[in-house]
Amino acid sequence: MSSSKPPLYVEKHYFYTYKERDMNAKLTLNLSKVVIDHAKGYAKDHHTSLSKLIENYLGSLTKKESKKAKVSPLVESLTGIIPNEPVTADHKKEYLAKKYS
């Protein structure tokens, strides 16, 4: 008896994700050659393009979301207890004199 193997079938499935993008526009910037050279080096080291680097930076600057951290009720209740005045050498001397007298 010869053992007959069924033919091997390989199915390939391709999935594409389409992301809606804004239309790109050109922008001309006048920058120092040294800054440009350093930025190009940074972009190369981080495996990105200079355009993408600048786009991400400008996007982060103009992001409209609030980055305010959530504060716990305990921390909020403590807010304002410590006076918001600079500590001077006189304050420190006065404190130490009280503490050690």
Side-chain angles (χ1 to χ4, degrees):
M1 251 192 200
S2 73
S3 92
S4 157
K5 292 184 181 179
L8 179 63
Y9 292 99
V10 177
E11 292 184 24
K12 293 183 180 181
H13 298 279
Y14 296 97
F15 298 97
Y16 297 98
T17 303
Y18 294 98
K19 186 177 179 184
E20 192 173 316
R21 293 182 175 221
D22 293 331
M23 191 165 82
N24 288 339
K26 286 193 174 200
L27 172 67
T28 302
L29 300 172
N30 292 313
L31 303 171
S32 158
K33 178 156 178 33
V34 174
V35 171
I36 293 170
D37 291 340
H38 286 137
K40 283 181 178 179
Y42 180 90
K44 184 178 181 182
D45 292 345
H46 289 83
H47 308 288
T48 189
S49 68
L50 187 54
S51 293
K52 195 64 171 169
L53 186 69
I54 293 170
E55 179 181 4
N56 289 341
Y57 177 67
L58 293 176
S60 71
L61 285 178
T62 59
K63 201 172 196 180
K64 300 216 184 224
E65 291 179 20
S66 173
K67 290 188 178 181
K68 188 175 180 180
K70 291 184 179 180
V71 179
S72 73
L74 173 64
V75 172
E76 193 147 324
S77 72
L78 296 173
T79 302
I81 290 177
I82 300 172
N84 192 15
E85 59 185 41
V87 177
T88 63
D90 292 335
H91 287 118
K92 192 171 183 178
K93 286 178 188 175
E94 186 180 316
Y95 169 77
L96 293 173
K98 258 189 204 178
K99 182 175 179 180
Y100 294 108
S101 57

